[in-house]
Amino acid sequence: MRPKRALLATATLAVAGALTVGMTLAMAPVASAGTTLRAAAAEKGRYFGAAVATGKLSTSTYTTVLNREFNSVTAENEMKWDATEPSQGRFVYTGGDRLVSHAQANGMGVRGHALLWHQQEPGWAQSMSGSALRSAMINHVTQVATHYRGKVYAWDVVNEAFADGGSGGRRDSNLQRTGNDWIEAAFRAARAADPGAKLCYNDYNTDGVNAKSTGIYNMVRDFKSRGVPIDCVGFQSHLGTTIASDYQANLQRFADLGVDVQITELDVMTGGNQANIFGTVTRACMAVSRCTSITVWGVRDCDSWRGSDNALLFDCNGNKKPAYDSVLNALNAGSGIPNPTTTPPNPTTTPPNPTTTPPNPTTPPPGGSGCSASVSLNSWTGGFVATVKVTAGSSGTRGWTVSMTLPSGSSVTGTWSATASGSSGTVRFTNVDYNGALGAGQSTEFGFQGNGSGAGMTPTCTAS
């Protein structure tokens, strides 16, 4: 369970974010009224998900409702920093892997939650600061996103980094104090580690147009203008007895920036207005073509972090509440996502590695049968992350090697989607088994993290 926090004046509750591979469900050729939440959502090209505590997967009432009603799951705690890296450099994926296995066996997508959050940092990270924390933070993002590559459709890369109140500014935290570009650095590292996942920013008290949501809006607009890889924004929507009148308009203004919007942690205080608010949120999502998923934070009332609020769609015995009917009716009455492009993964097979053919390669193929490489850097004092794009020439490749000379005093500390020979001076990076074969003009990416400076590096590519 996540730590409880007090209701704010707006009756909106704060918690950690939640999101998991970024695929849009295919719409059925002929729509019919779905009789479960998962069927109704899938017919409209969307996910309807629930936050899951893996310890409850052995409870039959819990899993009966979960498997019948939801086509997406989010780990309540099992993928957060304190769970996945309890001591520096020691990664533990037992809980998250169990949830992924359950999802694959039951035809569900997975939202990853959350790579970085100022709360639920492990103790060793809480005591760090500056460039040491920045390096540890980037390494954590890289390692966890790489582990779940191809299994998670969306990640909450950064969670709750904006402050409450009227400033619309960033929250003070040890992460923020590593430099104002820390969010950008995290998103770039996540993209390099898993090019196929949707990368999301997630926060609470952003349900309407207010100072906080506008601060996030401005960040997203800036990221989009500069090519920072952000694909979606999560709205937690922990609601009380009212809902902002401009809820839908707020979702739409973010969608108009060119990102997906997702309801990530929905729950609503019990009372006479509960069913209406659940229905209003669902109708708002269905009316915004880029609203791709709704996730409720828990399965039954007794599983909710909100205790006696009875804030979910099922009672503890698994019985449907009036709010359930309100949501189901709204899903069935809503519009589908136009031209969904991908389908959910086959639950019995491992999804293909997404780094073999990254989307929308932009570098034109060089002439001849060789390959070309380009590098982009995200740097901070004392360290950097390099993302290298390899593009095949007109004859394609069966394998490739990229050579790069690091500045004096710099060294490679970690590599993904390639094998490094050496760690300083001239370093050779060779493809791994899944990304060596490229068709003519096709591209792939690999990355590495380093100490020191990465300035002035020029990659050269040799194809085989």
Side-chain angles (χ1 to χ4, degrees):
M1 298 295 290
R2 54 176 52 207
K4 293 186 179 179
R5 285 174 271 193
L7 270 170
L8 301 176
T10 59
T12 301
L13 288 147
V15 297
L19 286 170
T20 311
V21 155
M23 296 150 284
T24 304
L25 297 182
M27 292 170 17
V30 179
S32 59
T35 58
T36 63
L37 301 176
R38 66 180 288 162
E43 285 178 356
K44 301 302 171 65
R46 291 174 169 88
Y47 285 115
F48 198 94
V52 172
T54 55
K56 295 180 180 178
L57 292 176
S58 58
T59 303
S60 60
T61 302
Y62 184 93
T63 54
T64 295
V65 174
L66 175 66
N67 296 345
R68 183 188 71 224
E69 297 290 344
F70 301 99
N71 63 351
S72 171
V73 292
T74 296
E76 286 192 8
N77 292 295
E78 289 84 351
M79 291 184 178
K80 291 174 182 169
W81 196 350
D82 59 351
T84 53
E85 195 181 3
S87 58
Q88 188 170 11
R90 183 174 71 89
F91 290 87
V92 178
Y93 300 112
T94 306
D97 287 353
R98 183 183 178 193
L99 183 61
V100 169
S101 295
H102 184 91
Q104 291 178 339
N106 290 278
M108 300 168 171
V110 182
R111 289 190 85 257
H113 175 76
L115 290 172
L116 294 176
W117 184 32
H118 66 282
Q119 295 194 36
Q120 288 188 248
E121 287 182 27
W124 63 265
Q126 294 175 29
S127 64
M128 297 178 75
S129 62
S131 60
L133 177 59
R134 175 66 71 94
S135 180
M137 172 192 89
I138 296 297
N139 184 62
H140 178 78
V141 169
T142 298
Q143 297 300 325
V144 176
T146 298
H147 177 82
Y148 288 109
R149 183 172 53 216
K151 299 176 183 179
V152 168
Y153 71 80
W155 270 111
D156 284 332
V157 178
V158 171
N159 189 56
E160 299 181 6
F162 277 73
D164 292 314
S167 70
R170 299 280 187 90
R171 177 192 301 276
D172 180 54
S173 69
N174 63 341
L175 296 172
Q176 177 63 29
R177 291 191 294 274
T178 68
N180 201 51
D181 67 333
W182 76 275
I183 299 177
E184 175 179 344
F187 274 82
R188 292 192 185 279
R191 174 67 88 231
D194 188 356
K198 296 281 190 179
L199 306 182
C200 308
Y201 176 81
N202 189 57
D203 218 321
Y204 67 95
N205 275 356
T206 57
D207 308 299
V209 178
N210 56 36
K212 186 175 183 180
S213 64
T214 297
I216 296 166
Y217 176 90
N218 291 336
M219 178 189 74
V220 174
R221 183 174 58 185
D222 171 60
F223 280 10
K224 295 295 288 184
S225 72
R226 294 190 294 109
V228 179
I230 186 168
D231 305 305
C232 42
V233 176
F235 300 80
Q236 292 185 16
S237 297
H238 298 285
L239 302 174
T241 57
T242 61
I243 183 171
S245 61
D246 53 2
Y247 187 94
Q248 181 179 322
N250 190 42
L251 297 181
Q252 187 63 60
R253 71 168 176 155
F254 279 87
D256 290 343
L257 291 176
V259 294
D260 291 342
V261 292
Q262 301 178 344
I263 314 304
T264 56
E265 303 183 20
L266 177 63
D267 45 32
V268 181
M269 183 179 293
T270 192
N273 211 29
Q274 185 182 57
N276 179 56
I277 292 177
F278 266 111
T280 298
V281 170
T282 307
R283 286 188 295 272
C285 179
M286 301 301 284
V288 176
S289 62
R290 295 202 68 148
C291 186
T292 58
S293 72
I294 300 173
T295 297
V296 291
W297 200 256
V299 175
R300 306 166 299 170
D301 284 341
C302 54
D303 306 313
S304 171
W305 70 290
R306 293 181 63 168
S308 61
D309 278 356
N310 295 324
L312 296 173
L313 300 175
F314 299 88
D315 67 21
C316 199
N317 294 320
N319 298 313
K320 302 169 184 175
K321 296 163 59 178
Y324 173 93
D325 296 323
S326 182
V327 169
L328 183 63
N329 291 340
L331 290 172
N332 282 321
S335 300
I337 294 177
N339 303 316
T341 57
T342 56
T343 55
N346 186 321
T348 62
T349 61
T350 301
N353 194 297
T355 61
T356 302
T357 310
N360 302 321
T362 57
T363 304
S369 59
C371 56
S372 63
S374 59
V375 62
S376 60
L377 286 177
N378 182 55
S379 303
W380 59 93
T381 303
F384 64 93
V385 166
T387 301
V388 183
K389 184 173 186 176
V390 178
T391 302
S394 58
S395 298
T397 69
R398 289 178 297 173
W400 48 260
T401 298
V402 172
S403 297
M404 203 170 323
T405 300
L406 275 64
S408 177
S410 298
S411 61
V412 174
T413 58
T415 305
W416 53 94
S417 300
T419 300
S421 175
S423 60
S424 60
T426 299
V427 182
R428 290 162 50 90
F429 300 91
T430 305
N431 64 276
V432 288
D433 57 357
Y434 55 77
N435 64 0
L438 301 173
Q442 202 172 48
S443 297
T444 190
E445 288 184 342
F446 72 91
F448 61 95
Q449 181 178 345
N451 290 327
S453 171
M457 295 186 299
T458 302
T460 60
C461 186
T462 303
S464 58

